[in-house]
Amino acid sequence: QVQLVESGGGLVQAGGSLRLSCAASGRSFSSYTMGWFRQAPGSERELVASITWNGGNTYYADSVKGRFTISRDNAKNSVYLQMNSLKPEDTAIYYCAARMGGSSWNSGYWGQGTQVTVSL
């Protein structure tokens, strides 16, 4: 069992930066692939970025490549999302998620989400 708690969301002007954090409790955090998803009003939840258990492989949605960076610190049971050059279309609830390698995100663990709002 893994519990995930996100923090770091807020209101920022376009062009600004935010750093989201996700603190995990439970065993074997370093065994999980971690991801950040987002869901805007009226839209489906989408995978923004993910990182494998040792940080060796990362994935980014095309919409955030070059602006967002995902990282993790297994010693602190934490994963981060550095978001730069934010745009109004980045406004969404951001969720942290964990899954074991080879399994689906739907079968993994999810946080409650943190709101990110980017104003013009």
Side-chain angles (χ1 to χ4, degrees):
Q1 189 78 6
V2 176
Q3 290 81 43
L4 303 172
V5 179
E6 303 96 337
S7 62
L11 174 64
V12 64
Q13 286 189 328
S17 298
L18 283 175
R19 188 191 192 212
L20 303 184
S21 298
C22 174
S25 60
R27 295 184 175 182
S28 303
F29 170 79
S30 60
S31 300
Y32 290 87
T33 292
M34 300 299 297
W36 286 97
F37 286 74
R38 68 185 181 187
Q39 187 167 21
S43 299
E44 293 187 354
R45 190 175 295 189
E46 64 169 339
L47 177 62
V48 174
S50 66
I51 187 167
T52 51
W53 68 276
N54 63 351
N57 285 291
T58 56
Y59 162 85
Y60 295 96
D62 287 343
S63 58
V64 306
K65 280 182 182 176
R67 300 189 298 122
F68 290 10
T69 303
I70 189 171
S71 61
R72 67 188 296 161
D73 186 339
N74 288 341
K76 295 183 178 180
N77 280 11
S78 294
V79 63
Y80 309 98
L81 186 68
Q82 178 67 43
M83 305 186 295
N84 299 328
S85 302
L86 283 161
K87 304 175 181 180
E89 50 264 44
D90 294 318
T91 295
I93 299 174
Y94 283 71
Y95 298 90
C96 176
R99 66 173 178 84
M100 293 299 289
S103 65
S104 70
W105 290 107
N106 286 338
S107 65
Y109 301 96
W110 292 81
Q112 293 299 305
T114 185
Q115 176 72 48
V116 171
T117 303
V118 184
S119 64
L120 289 170

